[in-house]
Amino acid sequence: MSVSNYNNLSIKGKFDLYFRRLISTIADLRLAIILLLVIAIFSITGTIIEQNQPINYYQENYPENPALFGFLTWQVLLNIGLNHVYTTWWYLAILFLFGSSLIACTFRRQLPALKSAKIWSFYHQSRQFNKLAFSAEITTESLNIIESILNKKGYKVFSSDNSIYAQKGIAGRVGPIIVHIGMIIILLGAIWGAFSGFFAQEMIASGNTFIIKNYLEAGKLTNLEKAQSFQVKVNDFWIDYTPEGKVDQFYSDLSVINKQGEEVKRKTIFVNQPLRYKGITFYQTSWSISGVKVQLNNSPIFQLPMAELATENQGRIWGTWIPTKPDLSEGVSLITKDLQGTMFLYNMQGELINAIRPNMPVEVNGVNLKVLQLVGATGLQIKSDPGVPIVYFGFALLMIGVVMSYVSFSQVWALQEGNRFFIGGKTNRAQVAFEKEMYNILEQL
């Protein structure tokens, strides 16, 4: 468009021009490919970099000196939002732009292609067959014979007085549209999950009941009242060990309790076998030792908390201090590394006193000390993502559309000019198979 013509346009005309250019740019296949690559790169980044961890975790693993790759520090990571990639505004904006590109491409390219494929297009002159990939002049008695053969080959045949148009494989034209719809639904499911889902973690001692409170991330539309409308009780927690003493698997026996105090669901969970209730999933992810039950002489049984001690990556150990006098002037330290039962007692000078097991009495500072039980704690990762069913539905459509897209859309024309007969056709894929089919038709004629 020349400058003079552009200046003569009204405001509405200029707006329409800009809008058409914008839609043309968004519908560009190259833009869609670039956006898809960007989404893939940041999705991989979100998989490599641990998501939704405390700030101290990133400070320890992504220090400022030396910075990872020379620039990636914990401050850069948090400022960009790489600690929660999938819910950042820029990631959601990329998803929205990619979805807009798919919608624009569907309406500008795929739907017009499908509409044109449904239009009956008869040839009325023999020279029109010259532009086809396959064409021939044949000897036959009438167009009815050609129509009969094409019907047997699965073609949908349309005929006029002296011309035939036939097509099959219209699903191949519908397939790309289904693919686009499936991808758009996947994007909508991902966005909905980001805005209405949540992610939480809880460390609960065996025998305790809890309500979900420790939310690490929650969408703006998340229904937290639903997540807190019930309680979960950790009936028991235990660990299976290998013959070498290493952790083989850890289990949590969980019960879901409603507001009336009734147990509505119970399941023993372990890694890759979670508990699901009302769209909320409880995963078994970690464990700890929360406390120890102790008795001094004939005193009542009391429980002391245990804390995990720093070992500089030399394994996990837990410890506590047990007073042996009412005024807390004397006591012993108890150390253990697992729930198998072996514990070590140290005096106030840090010297090893004894190695004991549960219910094994030992005299310490003139007191009969008995450790009855180590209390384990289960580490639960709790997720809710209402967008998952939508995403699954989108993937199902995507797979169906991909299969449909492999169907060849083939078209055949036939024309009678006096005593001369012409036939030809074209296809959008599987050219060799189509030519074999056409040769077979010619042999039958």
Side-chain angles (χ1 to χ4, degrees), residues 5 68 171 185 209 258 279 282 285 295 301 314 341 393 418 424 429:
N5 290 336
L68 185 64
I185 291 176
T209 301
N258 61 19
F282 297 81
T285 56
Q295 185 179 33
I301 298 172
Q314 297 299 315
F393 177 67
R429 55 171 50 89

Side-chain angles (χ1 to χ4, degrees), residues 20 37 46 130 200 232 440:
R20 287 195 297 269
L37 290 175
N130 295 332
V232 178
N440 182 262

Side-chain angles (χ1 to χ4, degrees), residues 93-106:
I94 295 172
L95 293 182
F96 178 79
L97 184 57
F98 180 61
S100 300
S101 179
L102 291 177
I103 293 173
C105 182
T106 300

Side-chain angles (χ1 to χ4, degrees), residues 362-427:
V362 60
E363 186 175 340
V364 178
N365 298 334
V367 176
N368 189 33
L369 170 65
K370 184 186 294 185
V371 177
L372 302 176
Q373 180 186 358
L374 289 170
V375 180
T378 178
L380 301 175
Q381 189 178 89
I382 307 165
K383 288 184 178 181
S384 174
D385 190 348
V388 168
I390 302 174
V391 171
Y392 285 169
F393 177 67
F395 269 112
L397 285 181
L398 179 63
M399 290 185 288
I400 293 172
V402 169
V403 173
M404 292 174 63
S405 298
Y406 277 98
V407 177
S408 300
F409 178 65
S410 303
Q411 298 169 286
V412 175
W413 289 265
L415 175 66
Q416 179 182 1
E417 279 189 348
N419 295 326
R420 301 173 67 190
F421 292 87
F422 301 88
I423 189 171
K426 64 179 181 179
T427 187

Side-chain angles (χ1 to χ4, degrees), residues 191-264:
I191 294 173
W192 176 245
F195 279 99
S196 62
F198 70 82
F199 174 76
Q201 285 184 337
E202 301 285 354
M203 183 67 72
I204 308 299
S206 178
N208 287 359
T209 301
F210 71 96
I211 296 176
I212 305 171
K213 293 181 179 180
N214 188 26
Y215 295 98
L216 299 181
E217 186 169 345
K220 294 182 179 180
L221 302 178
T222 302
N223 185 2
L224 296 182
E225 292 183 1
K226 176 183 176 181
Q228 297 178 344
S229 64
F230 60 91
Q231 295 179 325
V232 178
K233 181 179 180 180
V234 181
N235 300 306
D236 196 8
F237 172 79
W238 69 96
I239 298 177
D240 284 348
Y241 293 90
T242 65
E244 294 79 20
K246 297 181 180 180
V247 174
D248 181 42
Q249 185 66 272
F250 36 96
Y251 303 85
S252 295
D253 180 11
L254 304 180
S255 291
V256 178
I257 302 172
N258 61 19
K259 290 184 176 181
Q260 291 72 40
E262 302 169 339
E263 182 183 78
V264 293

Side-chain angles (χ1 to χ4, degrees), residues 23-39:
I23 295 299
S24 179
T25 302
I26 293 177
D28 194 330
L29 179 61
R30 292 170 294 182
L31 175 63
I33 293 174
I34 292 173
L35 291 174
L36 187 60
L37 290 175
V38 172
I39 292 172

Side-chain angles (χ1 to χ4, degrees), residues 22-299:
L22 176 63
I23 295 299
S24 179
T25 302
I26 293 177
D28 194 330
L29 179 61
R30 292 170 294 182
L31 175 63
I33 293 174
I34 292 173
L35 291 174
L36 187 60
L37 290 175
V38 172
I39 292 172
I41 290 171
F42 283 115
S43 297
I44 293 171
T45 303
T47 303
I48 296 174
I49 298 177
E50 297 82 356
Q51 303 289 289
N52 304 306
Q53 298 296 323
I55 294 179
N56 60 350
Y57 175 88
Y58 297 105
Q59 291 174 335
E60 293 175 3
N61 291 276
Y62 301 91
E64 295 185 7
N65 189 20
L68 185 64
F69 304 123
F71 73 94
L72 187 59
T73 65
W74 68 271
Q75 289 182 326
V76 173
L77 189 145
L78 294 180
N79 289 335
I80 297 176
L82 295 180
N83 61 321
H84 56 101
V85 171
Y86 307 113
T87 54
T88 56
W89 67 267
W90 48 263
Y91 185 81
L92 296 175
I94 295 172
L95 293 182
F96 178 79
L97 184 57
F98 180 61
S100 300
S101 179
L102 291 177
I103 293 173
C105 182
T106 300
F107 280 94
R108 283 180 60 88
R109 300 177 185 275
Q110 303 300 338
L111 289 177
L114 176 61
K115 185 177 180 180
S116 62
K118 291 183 175 181
I119 298 175
W120 304 353
S121 176
F122 295 103
Y123 284 0
H124 301 289
Q125 296 179 353
S126 59
R127 67 171 183 269
Q128 292 178 280
F129 287 83
N130 295 332
K131 65 181 181 181
L132 296 176
F134 183 97
S135 62
E137 184 176 351
I138 58 174
T139 302
T140 186
E141 295 180 359
S142 68
L143 290 177
N144 293 334
I145 298 176
I146 300 176
E147 182 176 350
S148 176
I149 295 174
L150 291 174
N151 279 323
K152 292 179 180 179
K153 293 290 184 180
Y155 284 86
K156 187 175 182 180
V157 183
F158 308 93
S159 60
S160 65
D161 294 336
N162 62 342
S163 182
I164 285 177
Y165 169 69
Q167 63 172 227
K168 71 174 179 179
I170 193 67
R173 293 293 192 188
V174 179
I177 299 175
I178 300 299
V179 169
H180 284 194
I181 293 174
M183 295 180 71
I184 292 170
I185 291 176
I186 291 171
L187 294 177
L188 291 175
I191 294 173
W192 176 245
F195 279 99
S196 62
F198 70 82
F199 174 76
Q201 285 184 337
E202 301 285 354
M203 183 67 72
I204 308 299
S206 178
N208 287 359
T209 301
F210 71 96
I211 296 176
I212 305 171
K213 293 181 179 180
N214 188 26
Y215 295 98
L216 299 181
E217 186 169 345
K220 294 182 179 180
L221 302 178
T222 302
N223 185 2
L224 296 182
E225 292 183 1
K226 176 183 176 181
Q228 297 178 344
S229 64
F230 60 91
Q231 295 179 325
V232 178
K233 181 179 180 180
V234 181
N235 300 306
D236 196 8
F237 172 79
W238 69 96
I239 298 177
D240 284 348
Y241 293 90
T242 65
E244 294 79 20
K246 297 181 180 180
V247 174
D248 181 42
Q249 185 66 272
F250 36 96
Y251 303 85
S252 295
D253 180 11
L254 304 180
S255 291
V256 178
I257 302 172
N258 61 19
K259 290 184 176 181
Q260 291 72 40
E262 302 169 339
E263 182 183 78
V264 293
K265 190 169 185 178
R266 183 169 183 171
K267 183 177 180 180
T268 298
I269 68 170
F270 51 94
V271 177
N272 296 326
Q273 287 293 327
L275 166 67
R276 293 183 173 89
Y277 180 71
K278 287 188 175 181
I280 301 174
T281 306
F282 297 81
Y283 296 94
Q284 178 73 74
T285 56
S286 62
W287 64 280
S288 182
I289 300 176
S290 65
V292 58
K293 292 183 179 181
V294 179
Q295 185 179 33
L296 298 176
N297 293 329
N298 295 320
S299 70

Side-chain angles (χ1 to χ4, degrees), residues 304-340:
L304 296 171
M306 297 194 72
E308 188 170 358
L309 307 178
T311 60
E312 297 182 357
N313 298 324
Q314 297 299 315
R316 303 177 70 187
I317 61 172
W318 289 262
T320 190
W321 189 71
I322 303 174
T324 55
K325 284 190 176 182
D327 60 1
L328 308 182
S329 61
E330 290 188 7
V332 293
S333 297
L334 182 142
I335 304 295
T336 187
K337 66 175 183 176
D338 51 42
L339 291 172
Q340 294 189 87

